[in-house]
Amino acid sequence: MSADARYDPFKIVLATHNQYKVKEIMAIFTDVPIQFVTLDEFPGAPEVVEDGKTLEDNARKKAYAIARFTKEIALADDSGLEVDILDGQPGVISARFAGAGCSFADNNNKLLKLMKGVPTEHRKARFRCVMALAVPAGATQTVEGVLSGYITDRPRGEEGFGYDPVFLVPDQGKTLAELGPNLKNSLSHRYNALQAMRPILLKLRENILRHYDQGTPGTPTEII
């Protein structure tokens, strides 16, 4: 990016190839005056290895890598399921809990097998989502969203993805996979993280517009 190049204040790259996540984010942010684009528009975008020790590590790494590659502002997330009786597992390895190349069903089956016979009161769990926003110069900012619930004794529902069929939302009496996308997108851990990110995105957009309206040379390097 040249010294006088501009970040597009209306464009943010979603740093994921996961179309389920893209669909959720797009649905939740329909009212935000920012254009969200996917990695499909950036051939050759790197597959970022999620080898961090925490969800925060992975979210920051993905956001910065994609911001640097695309030379655009990037938004990334890493999410995990934490089960109390399993000491927080699967946590940061939620996507590959059953091994490399595993399916959603593989992960759910392994979890249910580990939880077999565990009474309801000890099946408490939470979804955590950490969102990271990064500018190409390297600055990042993170927020977090949480959804608490219980692990069921069998998969229920056909909607959603990942652990949704085995994650019961107590207030609804249903799993995330039984709620349907509209209701899920109004209470999920990703929704909560995105709502925390919303004012940061809007403030960043405002700052970038002011930066250029004032004729400040170069590009913004900070998020806030």
Side-chain angles (χ1 to χ4, degrees), residues 27 36 38 43 126 133 139 146 161 182 193:
F36 292 93
T38 72
R126 73 199 54 80
L133 186 70
V146 176
F161 64 99
N182 291 336

Side-chain angles (χ1 to χ4, degrees), residues 168-187:
L168 182 75
V169 182
D171 291 346
Q172 302 296 324
K174 296 180 179 180
T175 68
L176 285 174
E178 293 175 306
L179 294 182
N182 291 336
L183 184 52
K184 176 188 173 182
N185 289 343
S186 71
L187 52 78

Side-chain angles (χ1 to χ4, degrees), residues 21 48-52 58 61-62 77-79 92 95-96:
K21 289 185 179 182
V48 182
V49 178
E50 298 181 18
D51 55 1
N58 286 336
K61 181 179 181 181
K62 288 189 288 186
D77 90 302
D78 198 24
S79 300
V92 73
R96 55 188 186 280

Side-chain angles (χ1 to χ4, degrees), residues 185-196:
N185 289 343
S186 71
L187 52 78
S188 72
H189 53 303
R190 187 165 292 108
Y191 171 85
N192 292 331
L194 288 168
Q195 294 311 311

